[in-house]
Amino acid sequence: MSDALLRCRSLSAAVEEKSILSEINLEVPRGEVHVLMGPNGAGKSTLGHVLMGDPVYDITAGEIVFDGEDITELSPEKRSKAGLFLSFQAPVEIPGVPLRSFLRAIVEAKGQKLKNKQFRKKIEELADTLDMDRAYLDRELGVGFSGGEKKKVEMLQLLLLEPKLAILDETDSGLDVDALSVVSRGMELYQKTCDGTLLVITHNTRILERLDVDRVHVMVQGRLVAEGPADLIADIDANGFERFEAGIAAAE
Ligand code: ADP
Ligand code: MG
């Protein structure tokens, strides 16, 4: 038996009775980097949200097993405690709340106990690692942050929480060059220093340059239609999704 950290079995999901995901079978083994690609509207972000337990989506069939536990019915909070992390495409802004306090709150929400001094040391070291000015930790959360700075905060959260699986959905976020390099460095650190497992949803192949990709999955119209090694990324970059879409059309 494979040691899959995440396993979706015949997972189907709908929103307001409109079917979006159909019979998704996906396995992500511990410590691997998987990439999910597909044309706009294929359902990639939906899969990310369904994995996190977003109540907007109904799971209509199948199951999600994470780290040996069936999490199909668990709340988003419990999934996060179990070790799942989804990047926020639109990071929150909370005027009046310093970044430090926010980070403290998310660590506590996850049930991790850290003394004040340890916590301060840890976030300051992480800020240094990410080339983030420590002064940012005392600024109001997200207010007036550039795209790159917001991404630094997100990567800081990732490295602080050390989830078992990080799902990073960068598809529609229009990252600038700065933000791109922050994310790719954050993912690399997460993989190397936290033994992380990654499911990266992206169109942007530059973001993957620092990672050793194990597997690529292609989604078209709510179905996983192809799977292959890292070479598939260059193929898709050059030839797009047409041949996968043609396969779906022929089957209909
Ligand atoms: P991708 O991330 O691959 O571009 P999405 O998962 O965002 O695709 O969307 C897949 C399909 O599901 C689209 O047709 C989209 O309009 C629809 N969809 C996603 N979320 C919702 C929602 N909350 N309400 C209605 N339709 C949605
Ligand atoms: Mg998307």
Side-chain angles (χ1 to χ4, degrees), residues 73-89:
E73 306 288 333
L74 289 192
S75 66
E77 293 72 27
K78 292 213 168 113
R79 291 181 199 212
S80 152
K81 273 195 183 165
L84 271 163
F85 175 97
L86 176 68
S87 75
F88 309 97
Q89 278 192 359

Side-chain angles (χ1 to χ4, degrees), residues 39-46 89 169-172 201 203:
N40 277 331
K44 306 178 299 294
S45 298
T46 298
Q89 278 192 359
D169 186 352
E170 305 299 341
T171 312
D172 309 305
I201 304 170
H203 281 306

Side-chain angles (χ1 to χ4, degrees), residues 30-77:
R30 232 170 272 277
E32 291 198 353
V33 177
H34 285 221
V35 177
L36 176 60
M37 301 181 95
N40 277 331
K44 306 178 299 294
S45 298
T46 298
L47 179 60
H49 291 294
V50 166
L51 291 174
M52 282 313 292
D54 185 332
V56 167
Y57 302 93
D58 298 315
I59 294 179
T60 50
E63 60 178 19
I64 308 167
V65 178
F66 180 69
D67 205 13
E69 183 189 5
D70 186 339
I71 62 160
T72 320
E73 306 288 333
L74 289 192
S75 66
E77 293 72 27

